[in-house]
Amino acid sequence: MGSNSTACTLIRPLRGWSLASLSSVPDLPESSGESAKDQRIAELEAENRRLRDIRDALIVRVESGSAHKPEPYAAFEHSVILAEQVRERTEALNLTMEELKASNKALSRAREEAETSRQRLSDAIESIADGFVLFDRDHCLIQTNSRFRSYWRHAGVPVPQAGTPIEAVKALALSSGLVVEEHSHEDAEGTVFLLSNGRWVQMTERTTREGGQVVLYSDITDVKNSEMARRIKALEESERWIRVVTDHVPALIAYVGADLTVQFCNKVYQAWYGRNGVSPLGKRLEQVHSDEFYQRLLPQILEVLDGHSVNFEFEETGEHGEQRYMLRSYVPNRDETGEVTGFFVLIRDITERRKTAIALEQAYDDLEHRVRERTAALTGLNQQLRQEISERSAVEARLREAKQEAEQANLSKTKFLAAVSHDLLQPLNAARLFTSALLEQSFGPKAESLVRSVSTSLDDVENLLGTLVDISKLDAGVITPDVTAFDLRDLLNNIAREFRQMALAEGQRLDFVPCSAVVQSDSQLLARILRNFLTNAIRYTGQGRILLGCRREHDHVLLQVWDTGPGIPADKLTEIFQEFKRIRPKGAQADKGLGLGLAIVDKIARMLGHEVSVSSVEGKGSVFSVRVPLGELQPAQPAPRGPHLPMLDSGLKGARGWVIDNDLAICQGMKTLLEGWGCRVTTAVSAEGLAGQVDVARAPVDLILADYHLDNDENGVDAVAVINAQRSQPAPVLMITANYTNELKQHIRELGYLLMNKPVKPLKLRSVLNHVMRC
C-alpha cells in the first residue's frame, strides 16, 4: 500500500500538469501566416512526444517498484490502478490529437482563404487604372500596383521598396526628374503633377482605418488636353479679334520679342515695312529696316529693353520714296518675374499734322509781321476808342443816375398814392354819405334825378379812385396775401348774386355753376380777380350771356368766366394785362375805365402764385381763367363777426349810435344818413369829444362807428378800447378805414369788431345796423 500510495502521489501531479498543458494551448487565428501554423504544429508534436516519454517512464517505474512489494495483491491492485490511469491518459491524449488535427484542418482552410483574399486584393489593385500606393500607420510603404511602378520605370528610376517612408518617396520623385511640374489649388480636390512621360496625374490621398494612408494617382491627361485645346481655341479666337481690331486701326502696330524678332504686326505695319511684298513677320528688326535707319532706332530699342517706355519722332522714306513723319511708341512687356520679354510698337503717321504745324509756324510768322503792322495802325485807333469809352462811361453814369431817379420817383409816387389813399377817400366818403341821405328825402322827380346823377358820378369817381389806389398799393407792396384754405361755395354764391343784378340791368343773362371745392388762396384777393373778370365781361358783352363756373384739374381748380362778347384779337391777348391798355371793338361806345382791371388781376395773380390765362375767338366771345390749388380745411373755429350780413330790415327806428371820425364833414354826413333811417346819432372827432357829450360809461348805445385814422397819431381801436373799458358791457363796434392791409384786417377780427372799408356803401352800412339790432 505504501508503494501504491507513493505511485499514486507521483501520477496525480503529472496528470494534472498534462491536462493543464493541453488546455492552455491557444487557438490558432484563421488569419495567421504559414510560418506561424508550422511552428504551432511543431510545438504540439513536441508536447505529444514529451507526454509519451512521461507515460513510458511511469510504467517502467511502477513495474520496477512492484518487485519490492511482498504482497502480490497489492501489486496487482496497483497495476490495475496504473492500467486504468494509463487508459484514461491515453484516451485524453487521443482526444487531444483529434482536436489538433481539426485545428490543423481549420488552419489550412483559413490559410487558403487568406491567400485567396490576398490574391483577389492584389488583382483588384492591379486592375485599377490609377496608380495605387499603400502606406502603414508609420507612413512607410507597404504595397504598390504596376501602374504606379510604370511611372518610375519609364523615368528610369528604381521603384521605391516596401518600408520606404513617404517623405523619401516624394523627395526621390522630385530629385529624379519623375515629376516635372507640380500644381495645387485650394479649390482643387488634389495636387496635379506633370510626369516625365508627358502625362498629367492628379494625386488623391485617403486615410485608412488603422491610421495608414492610401494614395491614388489618376491620369487626367485627356482632360488637360481638352482644356488646353479649349484654351488654344480661345487664344486663337482672341488673336483673331485682336488682329481684326488692329488691322482696322489707322496706325502701325507690332510686337517685337527680346531677340528683336517681329512676332506680330497688323496689315498697316506689314504694308509699310513689307518690302517687295515680303512680310516682316519672323524677321529681326535689322532685316526689316535699313542699316542706317536701324542704327538710328537702336538707342531707343536698348532703352525699352531696359524697361523704359519710349516716345520719339522719326522721318522715314517708304518703299516708293514717299516721305513720312512717324511718331513711335515703344512699351516694354514684362513676365511674372519682371524681366522684359519684348516690347509693343505703336507707330502713328503724323505727316499731315507736321505739315500743319509747319504751315502754322509760317502763318504765325506772317501773322506776327501783320500784327506788328496792324499794331502801329491800331495804336491811334486805340486812343480814339479809349476816348469814346470814357465818353460812353460818362453817358452810362448819367443814364444810371437818371434811371435811379426815375425809379425813386416811381417808388415815391406809389408810396405817396398808398399813403394818401385815406385823405383821398375822406371827401369821397363824405359825399357818398350826403348823397345817400339826399336819396332818402323826397324833392320831386327832377331833384331825385339830379341826386341820382350825382350818386352815379360818385360811383364812377369811387371806382376810378379805388382802382388807382389798388394799383398803387400793389406796386408799393403794401398789400400782402392772407392765404388760407376755404370753401368756394360762399365766395362764388355772393359774387354771382352781386353781379346777376348788374347783368340784368345791362340786358344780359348771368349763369352760375356752383362749386364746393376747397382751395388754398386769399379769399378777398381771389374775389377781386373774379369781380374784375365779370366787370369786363358785363362791360363788353352787350346783349349776351355770361357764365361763371369752375373745373377740377388734378390738384387744381380752374375758375372761369365765359362771355359771348366781340372777342379779342390774337395779337392783343398779352397787351390786355398791361396798365392803361384797353381794347375797344369797332363801333363800341367809349367807357370810363382806365384799363387797369386786368393789370390788377395780373399783379394779384403773381402775388398769389396763381396762373391766369385767356383765350378768345373774335366774333364769338372770350374766356378768362385763373388756376387755384386745392386745399384742406382746418378744424372749424368760431366764426368772427364780419361785414357779410343778412338781408335788409327796416327796423332801425330808435337805434342809438356813436360816430367818431376826425373829419367833420363825414361826421355830419353820417349823422344825416343815420337819422334819415330813424337812428339817434352822436358824433365826435375823438373819444374825449364824445365823453364831453354823453356819459360813455352808462349811456345806452347799440353801435360805435369809429374811423381807424384819427388826429394826433391816435386810432379808432385805441379810442374804442378807452370807451369800452369804462362800460360794464362792451358796445358793438364797426371800424371804418381806408387801410386794406391784412395785418389790420386780422387785428380787427381778433378784437371781434366789424370792419368796413372806405368809401362806405350805404346799403352795406344799413345791413350791418340791421344785423347788430337783431343780435
Side-chain angles (χ1 to χ4, degrees):
M1 290 298 291
S3 60
N4 292 338
S5 301
T6 303
C8 291
T9 306
L10 291 172
I11 290 172
R12 287 191 188 96
L14 289 173
R15 182 166 57 180
W17 174 84
S18 176
L19 293 173
S21 299
L22 290 173
S23 62
S24 64
V25 176
D27 295 334
L28 291 175
E30 295 182 1
S31 61
S32 300
E34 184 178 358
S35 60
K37 179 182 176 183
D38 295 341
Q39 181 180 0
R40 185 59 181 164
I41 293 173
E43 290 177 356
L44 291 174
E45 290 177 351
E47 182 70 18
N48 191 19
R49 286 194 298 271
R50 189 165 60 85
L51 290 175
R52 290 195 185 100
D53 292 343
I54 292 172
R55 182 193 64 182
D56 295 340
L58 288 174
I59 293 172
V60 171
R61 183 175 180 183
V62 168
E63 290 177 351
S64 63
S66 62
H68 301 287
K69 298 295 181 181
E71 300 178 358
Y73 180 78
F76 175 77
E77 182 182 10
H78 183 65
S79 298
V80 172
I81 293 171
L82 286 177
E84 181 65 23
Q85 291 179 350
V86 169
R87 186 184 63 78
E88 293 177 356
R89 189 64 176 168
T90 300
E91 291 178 355
L93 184 59
N94 290 333
L95 182 61
T96 302
M97 291 299 294
E98 291 296 331
E99 292 177 353
L100 182 60
K101 289 179 181 179
S103 298
N104 287 337
K105 289 181 180 179
L107 184 60
S108 298
R109 190 165 54 251
R111 183 176 62 183
E112 291 175 359
E113 292 177 355
E115 185 64 26
T116 301
S117 299
R118 184 182 298 108
Q119 187 61 38
R120 289 175 179 173
L121 179 61
S122 297
D123 293 341
I125 293 174
E126 286 297 328
S127 66
I128 297 175
D130 301 334
F132 177 86
V133 186
L134 177 63
F135 295 92
D136 59 13
R137 68 178 63 186
D138 296 327
H139 291 176
C140 293
L141 181 64
I142 297 177
Q143 188 176 1
T144 61
N145 67 350
S146 58
R147 176 57 63 91
F148 178 78
R149 294 190 293 273
S150 68
Y151 299 155
W152 298 81
R153 287 194 296 270
H154 187 277
V157 181
V159 180
Q161 300 300 318
T164 305
I166 188 172
E167 296 299 333
V169 174
K170 292 181 179 179
L172 180 60
L174 293 174
S175 62
S176 63
L178 173 63
V179 176
V180 179
E181 295 180 13
E182 179 179 351
H183 303 277
S184 61
H185 194 272
E186 295 179 356
D187 299 333
E189 184 178 356
T191 306
V192 178
F193 299 99
L194 174 62
L195 304 182
S196 59
N197 60 357
R199 308 294 293 182
W200 290 87
V201 295
Q202 183 176 9
M203 183 183 73
T204 307
E205 298 178 335
R206 296 288 186 276
T207 303
T208 65
R209 183 182 302 176
E210 294 79 9
Q213 194 170 15
V214 176
V215 183
L216 291 177
Y217 294 89
S218 303
D219 193 321
I220 60 171
T221 304
D222 294 339
V223 176
K224 277 289 186 179
N225 291 339
S226 177
E227 181 181 353
M228 186 65 68
R230 288 196 301 271
R231 290 184 178 179
I232 291 173
K233 185 177 179 180
L235 289 174
E236 290 175 351
E237 184 67 15
S238 176
E239 181 180 358
R240 186 180 70 84
W241 278 107
I242 291 174
R243 184 168 295 280
V244 169
V245 172
T246 55
D247 286 345
H248 289 81
V249 173
L252 286 73
I253 300 174
Y255 179 77
V256 180
D259 58 352
L260 302 184
T261 301
V262 179
Q263 299 179 3
F264 171 84
C265 67
N266 65 348
K267 288 184 179 179
V268 183
Y269 188 97
Q270 186 173 352
W272 180 253
Y273 290 115
R275 308 298 182 181
N276 300 321
V278 179
S279 173
L281 276 175
K283 294 184 178 181
R284 293 175 56 84
L285 290 181
E286 59 187 5
Q287 298 173 337
V288 175
H289 305 296
S290 63
D291 293 340
E292 179 183 358
F293 191 73
Y294 177 75
Q295 293 301 322
R296 293 175 61 191
L297 295 177
L298 190 56
Q300 286 75 22
I301 295 174
L302 295 177
E303 186 174 356
V304 72
L305 290 177
D306 195 33
H308 305 287
S309 297
V310 182
N311 293 297
F312 58 97
E313 296 181 11
F314 272 177
E315 183 180 359
E316 300 183 31
T317 302
E319 184 178 7
H320 303 290
E322 64 272 24
Q323 296 290 328
R324 292 287 181 182
Y325 287 95
M326 298 293 192
L327 174 61
R328 292 175 173 266
S329 298
Y330 290 170
V331 180
N333 181 34
R334 302 177 184 271
D335 58 11
E336 297 178 353
T337 62
E339 183 179 355
V340 178
T341 60
F343 59 93
F344 299 96
V345 178
L346 176 63
I347 304 174
R348 285 162 289 179
D349 189 342
I350 60 170
T351 304
E352 297 301 326
R353 189 173 72 182
R354 187 66 179 269
K355 290 180 179 179
T356 302
I358 294 174
L360 286 175
E361 290 180 359
Q362 294 176 353
Y364 179 75
D365 293 339
D366 295 341
L367 183 61
E368 281 188 338
H369 178 69
R370 293 173 61 187
V371 166
R372 285 193 294 269
E373 292 179 350
R374 292 296 301 274
T375 301
L378 291 176
T379 302
L381 294 176
N382 190 22
Q383 296 296 332
Q384 296 178 5
L385 288 175
R386 288 180 180 178
Q387 184 176 357
E388 291 181 3
I389 290 172
S390 299
E391 295 175 354
R392 288 184 179 180
S393 298
V395 171
E396 288 179 0
R398 289 194 297 270
L399 289 175
R400 283 194 296 269
E401 291 176 0
K403 180 182 177 182
Q404 186 175 3
E405 291 175 359
E407 291 176 350
Q408 188 65 32
N410 184 51
L411 182 60
S412 299
K413 180 262 298 182
T414 55
K415 288 184 177 180
F416 171 77
L417 287 176
V420 303
S421 60
H422 175 266
D423 296 332
L424 291 174
L425 292 175
Q426 284 291 83
L428 180 61
N429 189 34
R432 165 70 70 183
L433 293 175
F434 284 120
T435 304
S436 299
L438 288 174
L439 289 174
E440 297 291 336
Q441 306 297 325
S442 296
F443 299 103
K446 186 175 181 179
E448 290 180 2
S449 176
L450 292 174
V451 173
R452 292 188 183 280
S453 298
V454 173
S455 178
T456 301
S457 299
L458 289 176
D459 288 339
D460 294 338
V461 173
E462 178 183 341
N463 291 333
L464 294 175
L465 184 58
T467 301
L468 288 173
V469 170
D470 287 343
I471 201 72
S472 65
K473 287 179 179 292
L474 290 171
D475 289 338
V478 175
I479 299 176
T480 55
D482 180 16
V483 178
T484 57
F486 61 92
D487 193 330
L488 282 174
R489 185 185 296 108
D490 293 338
L491 175 67
L492 295 179
N493 288 341
N494 291 335
I495 292 177
R497 189 164 49 246
E498 175 184 347
F499 279 87
R500 183 172 284 119
Q501 298 299 325
M502 295 174 59
L504 290 174
E506 297 292 334
Q508 302 165 356
R509 189 181 76 181
L510 174 63
D511 293 330
F512 165 57
V513 180
C515 179
S516 59
V518 176
V519 296
Q520 191 81 12
S521 183
D522 185 308
S523 60
Q524 293 193 2
L525 293 179
L526 181 61
R528 183 62 182 274
I529 292 176
L530 296 177
R531 285 190 173 94
N532 284 5
F533 283 167
L534 289 169
T535 299
N536 276 2
I538 292 173
R539 179 178 299 167
Y540 294 106
T541 298
Q543 302 295 322
R545 180 188 172 198
I546 300 171
L547 173 65
L548 171 63
C550 63
R551 293 180 179 178
R552 291 179 182 264
E553 292 185 349
H554 303 293
D555 55 348
H556 286 75
V557 172
L558 198 64
L559 299 175
Q560 296 181 318
V561 174
W562 297 70
D563 65 60
T564 57
I568 305 171
D571 59 342
K572 303 294 184 180
L573 290 177
T574 57
E575 294 184 9
I576 59 177
F577 291 98
Q578 299 177 10
E579 296 178 359
F580 305 106
K581 288 286 185 177
R582 291 184 297 170
I583 307 300
R584 187 173 62 184
K586 294 181 178 180
Q589 295 182 355
D591 57 66
K592 301 177 182 180
L594 296 176
L596 295 176
L598 292 180
I600 292 175
V601 167
D602 183 64
K603 292 179 182 295
I604 293 176
R606 292 177 185 273
M607 183 189 306
L608 295 175
H610 299 343
E611 179 185 352
V612 173
S613 60
V614 58
S615 61
S616 181
V617 178
E618 289 190 81
K620 291 186 177 181
S622 306
V623 54
F624 288 83
S625 306
V626 57
R627 188 184 302 274
V628 185
L630 291 173
E632 184 176 352
L633 288 177
Q634 300 298 322
Q637 300 290 338
R641 297 170 65 184
H644 300 286
L645 302 168
M647 22 180 223
L648 296 176
D649 188 9
S650 58
L652 297 180
K653 189 173 182 180
R656 296 175 293 270
W658 296 345
V659 177
I660 303 176
D661 197 302
N662 60 338
D663 193 324
L664 293 175
I666 291 179
C667 288
Q668 186 62 36
M670 186 67 74
K671 183 176 182 179
T672 303
L673 180 63
L674 294 179
E675 288 180 347
W677 294 342
C679 300
R680 291 179 290 175
V681 183
T682 302
T683 62
V685 296
S686 64
E688 292 79 1
L690 182 63
Q693 301 181 54
V694 296
D695 185 359
V696 296
R698 289 180 291 274
V701 63
D702 296 309
L703 181 65
I704 300 176
L705 295 87
D707 185 14
Y708 180 75
H709 294 281
L710 300 177
D711 293 335
N712 301 322
D713 295 329
E714 295 180 358
N715 59 67
V717 172
D718 296 336
V720 171
V722 171
I723 294 172
N724 280 333
Q726 303 177 42
R727 299 178 61 85
S728 58
Q729 183 69 29
V733 177
L734 172 61
M735 194 65 57
I736 301 173
T737 180
N739 190 331
Y740 291 84
T741 61
N742 289 329
E743 291 79 2
L744 178 60
K745 187 187 305 181
Q746 186 65 27
H747 179 51
I748 292 186
R749 286 178 181 175
E750 292 173 355
L751 293 174
Y753 299 163
L754 300 174
L755 176 65
M756 291 186 67
N757 292 110
K758 291 183 179 181
V760 175
K761 296 184 181 298
L763 185 62
K764 198 171 186 179
L765 178 60
R766 190 163 185 173
S767 297
V768 172
L769 293 176
N770 284 322
H771 174 70
V772 173
M773 291 301 295
R774 282 196 302 272
C775 294

